[in-house]
Amino acid sequence: MAKRLQDHLNSAYIEFASRLRPQGTKKKIVAYVESYDDIFFWRSVLQDFEDEHVQFEVMLPSRRNLSKGKKAALMNHLGPSLGNYMIACVDADYDYLMQGSTDVSRTLISSPYVMHTYVYSIENYQCYAPALHTACVMSTLNDRTLFSLQGFMEEYSLIIWPLFVWSVWVHRYGHANAYCQTDFTRTITFHDINPWHPEQALEALRERVNKQVGWLHRKFPKAKKSYLELRTSLKEELGISPSDTYLYIQGHSLMEGVVLPLLTPLCAILRREREKEISMLAVHRTQKQNELASYQHSQSPIDLMLRKSIAFKQSAPYQILRDDLLRLKARIQGNEVRQKQNNETLNPVPSLEQENKNSHHV
């Protein structure tokens, strides 16, 4: 039995507490997230939907312990408490792609009070391909382009697309033990990438993917029809483009096994170029040392620049999340209007004639 006040905390409690505050005070919506790393991301998302009427407070699902994760957010007595004024903000993982085939997936896609990324995780948004060049510029202060980073990620996505569909298929049809997430990520990640010849990494990737796809075809010879149906469903019903496959693979593996192996050596080259330029243009030794020290002080780690990026707000999956949050605000505004109308019905404003009668009586 719950003994603490916060054990009874739910959306209705927060709503009623907001009504006790002075008129004109912003309505507070509590947004529970999975971990500390998610707090900044969801703050950067939710702040766009704050106005003079609504504000969000982002926090972890428990203040008494360090329990984290989607199950802590959705299943640890939080699910029934969710509402317009208490929401859960989580990574979609594969649960969005499962489309209701598991309990967590059903909650994720059906509850209007669960906001999810639609892509696999927040790391996928941080690795948004059109923003990678800008992140390199922010990190190195060098705007030179060695090759198209966006083009690399699109080609990478097209190569892994058939294997990605298989990865979703084994989860949908209960064969995850035969081909687990670790097997998939081991195939599609890199140890290192040569920035001067990135095509070599892609060709090696193509060979690994083709080998795995062939093995899966032999492993599940009767899966052809369901595989093709799933592939069509992912594209037409969920709107997943093969050139954006990277957004739906495991986010940590994408960051650590694809994007950072790609950008880290690239940024090293760009920094060396800038330092060489400074050395060539310096008039004397003191100026060279000062300029190099200033440049090195101005640099930033590439992983930090990726995590600070908000360019993902231009992506197609984010637009779906944006619509979910707009619907949440519309529900809250509708509730406020109905509550105001109910109050006016219960406590009608006296007419001028009634006020005159009351005054005369006195």
Side-chain angles (χ1 to χ4, degrees):
M1 179 179 294
K3 297 180 179 180
R4 298 162 59 99
L5 178 61
Q6 69 181 29
D7 292 328
H8 297 279
L9 192 64
N10 56 29
S11 177
Y13 177 91
I14 297 173
E15 179 183 1
F16 293 142
S18 296
R19 292 178 183 173
L20 296 176
R21 302 171 71 183
Q23 188 174 5
T25 304
K26 293 182 179 181
K27 304 297 180 183
K28 183 174 74 171
I29 303 173
V30 174
Y32 286 113
V33 299
E34 298 183 69
S35 69
Y36 295 112
D37 293 336
D38 297 335
I39 293 176
F40 170 73
F41 172 84
W42 284 104
R43 163 47 52 188
S44 68
V45 169
L46 297 174
Q47 67 186 10
D48 292 345
F49 301 88
E50 294 182 326
D51 54 28
E52 65 274 16
H53 304 296
V54 173
Q55 67 178 8
F56 291 89
E57 181 178 355
V58 182
M59 61 178 65
L60 294 175
S62 176
R63 292 185 175 180
R64 285 181 288 167
N65 56 60
L66 295 178
S67 63
K68 303 175 186 178
K70 187 182 301 180
K71 289 187 177 180
L74 296 180
M75 303 301 180
N76 189 19
H77 306 296
L78 184 58
S81 301
L82 297 178
N84 288 330
Y85 295 86
M86 179 186 286
I87 63 175
C89 299
V90 300
D91 290 335
D93 298 338
Y94 265 19
D95 295 315
Y96 172 59
L97 304 179
M98 292 300 100
Q99 286 296 291
S101 59
T102 65
D103 291 339
V104 174
S105 178
R106 281 190 290 274
T107 300
L108 188 84
I109 65 177
S110 64
S111 174
Y113 312 118
V114 176
M115 304 296 149
H116 65 91
T117 53
Y118 285 94
V119 299
Y120 191 99
S121 68
I122 66 173
E123 286 87 357
N124 299 75
Y125 276 135
Q126 292 165 351
C127 296
Y128 183 50
L132 294 183
H133 175 71
T134 300
C136 289
V137 175
M138 293 168 63
S139 177
T140 65
L141 306 181
N142 187 340
D143 196 22
R144 185 186 171 203
T145 300
L146 293 184
F147 61 93
S148 172
L149 294 172
Q150 184 173 351
F152 179 94
M153 295 305 297
E154 289 178 355
E155 182 65 20
Y156 169 83
S157 294
L158 291 172
I159 292 172
I160 69 171
W161 166 253
L163 189 58
F164 166 74
V165 178
W166 270 114
S167 178
V168 178
W169 185 91
V170 296
H171 282 80
R172 279 264 192 112
Y173 291 93
H175 300 291
N177 291 334
Y179 190 70
C180 65
Q181 188 72 245
T182 302
D183 298 326
F184 176 58
T185 56
R186 188 185 297 119
T187 302
I188 65 172
T189 52
F190 307 96
H191 293 294
D192 56 69
I193 300 174
N194 183 352
W196 299 112
H197 297 285
E199 71 281 357
Q200 294 176 352
L202 292 176
E203 284 305 314
L205 171 67
R206 195 187 309 274
E207 292 180 7
R208 296 196 301 271
V209 168
N210 289 340
K211 182 178 179 180
Q212 289 291 301
V213 169
W215 178 82
L216 286 163
H217 276 299
R218 294 189 297 273
K219 178 74 174 178
F220 303 103
K222 298 181 180 180
K224 182 176 181 180
K225 181 180 178 181
S226 56
Y227 174 90
L228 294 176
E229 290 174 348
L230 175 61
R231 187 178 66 181
T232 301
S233 174
L234 292 175
K235 290 194 291 186
E236 297 183 359
E237 297 179 18
L238 300 187
I240 298 177
S241 170
S243 61
D244 290 334
T245 310
Y246 73 95
L247 289 173
Y248 301 92
I249 66 175
Q250 189 179 61
H252 177 74
S253 298
L254 173 68
M255 176 74 79
E256 300 294 332
V258 180
V259 173
L260 288 181
L262 176 66
L263 299 189
T264 300
L266 175 61
C267 287
I269 291 173
L270 295 175
R271 290 191 181 99
R272 286 196 298 269
E273 285 187 351
R274 181 63 74 213
E275 291 170 353
K276 183 178 180 180
E277 181 183 69
I278 291 172
S279 298
M280 292 177 59
L281 295 177
V283 177
H284 47 74
R285 181 180 179 85
T286 301
Q287 184 185 38
K288 173 184 174 180
Q289 292 176 339
N290 290 341
E291 289 296 325
L292 285 174
S294 176
Y295 173 62
Q296 292 169 358
H297 179 72
S298 300
Q299 297 175 25
S300 301
I302 183 60
D303 59 331
L304 180 60
M305 294 299 98
L306 291 172
R307 290 183 172 90
K308 286 187 174 182
S309 175
I310 58 172
F312 63 84
K313 293 182 180 180
Q314 305 301 318
S315 66
Y318 179 78
Q319 303 311 311
I320 309 176
L321 171 59
R322 177 179 176 274
D323 291 341
D324 290 343
L325 287 165
L326 288 174
R327 281 191 287 270
L328 173 68
K329 282 194 66 175
R331 287 197 303 271
I332 293 173
Q333 292 169 351
N335 288 343
E336 294 300 320
V337 170
R338 286 191 294 273
Q339 182 63 35
K340 184 177 180 180
Q341 292 173 344
N342 291 338
N343 291 339
E344 291 175 351
T345 301
L346 295 175
N347 303 290
V349 178
S351 64
L352 180 61
E353 180 181 354
Q354 184 65 39
E355 288 184 351
N356 289 336
K357 288 181 179 180
N358 293 340
S359 176
H360 178 72
H361 177 73
V362 173

